[in-house]
């Protein structure tokens, strides 16, 4: 795409996509020059869609794509901390990083969608407990990866205890894959980002909200003596771009949205409109990566429009 600004594809497979659908989008994204392929980590559909053929597991998917792509960065926005124990999760992500030749980026969140936990028998603690566990998970997973070869890792927390772990396997990227943290929480989220994040992502917010949250992350970094410039800034927006109003309307209808609403709340319009909006966001927020939420995974031409008519203008 461009050297200093990256466009990434972000998918929501729980809305109705199997592995072959995701593979088709990922390989097309790689062929057309996108920087990365990311996916959500959910086990239940949202809204009025059927969700068929049913959910796919994020890290099983990324393991497959690790072997069937060669250049794309691969990751999650965000892996749900409620779904997996931190020790086994560190093993899975390190293995996928090895399988990809060091192309994994690890997004981790606290988990939020209560209905999917109920549907699949996953415990769903209170918000406070989820964040307490989330903080420990970040410390454990990064600690396991960063433990020097031949040394062991131990952790004695309120929710998790590890004793003399060999801290294996190691990821291909050393000391670890990049860690992504995101969200609009005003206190604990910026504090965790300052401690652990290589990238901070704001999904589906307006530009004023983004500016304010990035400032909170900067302040949290300053409070612990970290250079906030070390943290990449990124955003995620729903994508709906058409070469003319007719194409735009067809794409909006395909995902059950209104053009006016998408223009207001997402990244929607003609290629020139989309370029202008990206430029405004870059100027006001300093983002250097943008995750394009692609909801109609059958419409590969949508990616072509961005690659051919948007990316060259950035």
């Amino acid at each position: 795409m461009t050297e200093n600004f990256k466009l990434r594809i972000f998918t929501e497979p729980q809305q109705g996509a199997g592995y072959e659908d995701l593979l088709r989008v990922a390989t097309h994204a790689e062929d057309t020059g996108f920087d990365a392929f990311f996916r959500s980590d959910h086990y239940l559909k949202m809204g009025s869609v059927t969700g068929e053929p049913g959910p796919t597991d994020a890290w099983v998917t990324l393991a497959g794509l690790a072997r069937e792509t060669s250049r794309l960065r691969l990751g999650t926005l965000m892996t749900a901390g409620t779904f997996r124990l931190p020790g086994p999760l560190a093993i899975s992500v390190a293995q996928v990083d090895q399988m990809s030749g060091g192309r994994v980026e690890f997004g981790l969140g606290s988990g939020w969608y209560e209905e999917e936990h109920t549907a699949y028998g996953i415990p769903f603690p209170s918000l406070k407990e989820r964040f307490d566990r989330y903080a420990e998970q970040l410390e454990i997973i990064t600690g396991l990866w960063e433990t020097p070869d031949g040394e062991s890792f131990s952790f004695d927390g309120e929710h998790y205890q590890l004793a003399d772990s060999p801290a294996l396997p190691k990821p291909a990227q050393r000391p670890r894959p990049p860690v992504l943290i995101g969200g609009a929480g005003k206190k604990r989220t910026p504090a965790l980002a300052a401690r652990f994040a290589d990238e901070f992502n704001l999904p589906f917010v307006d530009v004023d909200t983004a500016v304010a949250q990035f400032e909170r992350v900067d302040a949290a970094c300053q409070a612990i003596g970290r250079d906030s410039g070390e943290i990449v800034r990124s955003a995620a927006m729903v994508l709906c771009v058409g070469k003319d109003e007719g194409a735009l309307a067809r794409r909006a209808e395909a995902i059950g949205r209104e053009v006016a609403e998408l223009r207001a709340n997402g990244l929607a319009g003609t290629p020139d409109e989309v370029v202008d909006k990206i430029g405004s966001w870059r100027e006001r927020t300093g983002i250097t990566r943008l995750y394009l939420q692609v909801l109609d995974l059958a419409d590969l031409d949508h990616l072509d429009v961005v690659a051919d008519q948007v990316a060259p203008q950035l």
Side-chain angles (χ1 to χ4, degrees):
M1 288 290 165
T2 65
E3 183 176 351
N4 297 318
F5 189 80
K6 306 297 185 184
L7 293 176
R8 298 180 153 193
I9 299 302
F10 172 50
T11 61
E12 303 269 11
Q14 77 280 354
Q15 299 301 90
Y19 176 74
E20 293 300 325
D21 301 307
L22 299 172
L23 174 62
R24 185 168 55 251
V25 174
T27 54
H28 195 75
E30 182 164 80
D31 291 343
T32 47
F34 288 91
D35 177 61
F37 177 91
F38 274 58
R39 59 156 292 166
S40 60
D41 187 19
H42 286 296
Y43 291 141
L44 189 68
K45 61 98 173 180
M46 302 168 194
S48 60
V49 299
T50 68
E52 295 176 357
T56 52
D57 183 84
W59 287 101
V60 172
T61 296
L62 295 176
L65 296 180
R67 307 304 290 180
E68 298 194 76
T69 60
S70 60
R71 179 189 57 78
L72 284 174
R73 304 293 293 177
L74 300 168
T76 51
L77 287 180
M78 302 284 187
T79 290
T82 48
F83 288 176
R84 303 165 182 88
L85 296 170
L89 180 57
I91 292 171
S92 297
V93 177
Q95 181 179 356
V96 177
D97 196 47
Q98 291 176 358
M99 293 169 68
S100 70
R103 292 184 283 126
V104 159
E105 302 193 5
F106 178 57
L108 183 65
S110 62
W112 63 269
Y113 187 21
E114 185 173 5
E115 288 84 352
E116 68 187 336
H117 294 75
T118 302
Y120 286 95
I122 304 167
F124 189 71
S126 68
L127 178 60
K128 180 184 182 302
E129 182 177 333
R130 294 200 308 277
F131 254 84
D132 290 344
R133 289 178 176 272
Y134 178 34
E136 290 189 17
Q137 290 164 344
L138 284 164
E139 193 163 348
I140 290 165
I141 293 167
T142 58
L144 287 167
W145 289 339
E146 293 174 355
T147 297
D149 292 341
E151 298 185 16
S152 62
F153 176 82
S154 297
F155 182 84
D156 186 17
E158 179 181 357
H159 299 285
Y160 304 103
Q161 298 81 40
L162 287 74
D164 298 322
S165 171
L168 296 172
K170 297 299 187 194
Q173 297 173 91
R174 303 300 297 269
R176 57 172 174 76
V179 171
L180 285 74
I181 291 175
K186 294 182 179 179
K187 294 183 178 179
R188 298 190 71 178
T189 298
L192 288 174
R195 287 184 61 195
F196 297 106
D198 299 289
E199 178 178 338
F200 190 79
N201 178 266
L202 279 170
F204 317 120
V205 300
D206 62 81
V207 69
D208 292 330
T209 299
V211 168
Q213 186 69 339
F214 286 133
E215 288 175 350
R216 293 186 189 99
V217 173
D218 289 348
C221 287
Q222 185 177 8
I224 64 170
R226 183 180 181 189
D227 178 4
S228 61
E230 296 174 357
I231 300 179
V232 172
R233 294 181 175 193
S234 66
M237 300 182 192
V238 60
L239 179 71
C240 188
V241 58
K243 62 181 180 179
D244 54 39
E245 291 298 322
L248 184 62
R250 287 191 295 273
R251 289 202 163 103
E253 182 179 9
I255 60 173
R257 304 277 284 270
E258 297 292 332
V259 171
E261 180 269 324
L262 287 166
R263 275 193 162 111
N265 299 319
L267 189 65
T270 64
D272 287 345
E273 284 182 88
V274 166
V275 169
D276 287 345
K277 187 161 188 176
I278 292 173
S280 177
W281 266 76
R282 292 177 69 179
E283 182 177 356
R284 292 199 57 196
T285 67
I287 60 169
T288 57
R289 292 175 186 166
L290 183 59
Y291 294 79
L292 307 176
Q293 186 195 43
V294 177
L295 295 176
D296 182 0
L297 299 185
D299 184 6
L300 298 182
D301 289 342
H302 203 181
L303 276 62
D304 294 337
V305 172
V306 177
D308 295 340
Q309 300 183 43
V310 174
Q313 299 189 64
L314 299 179

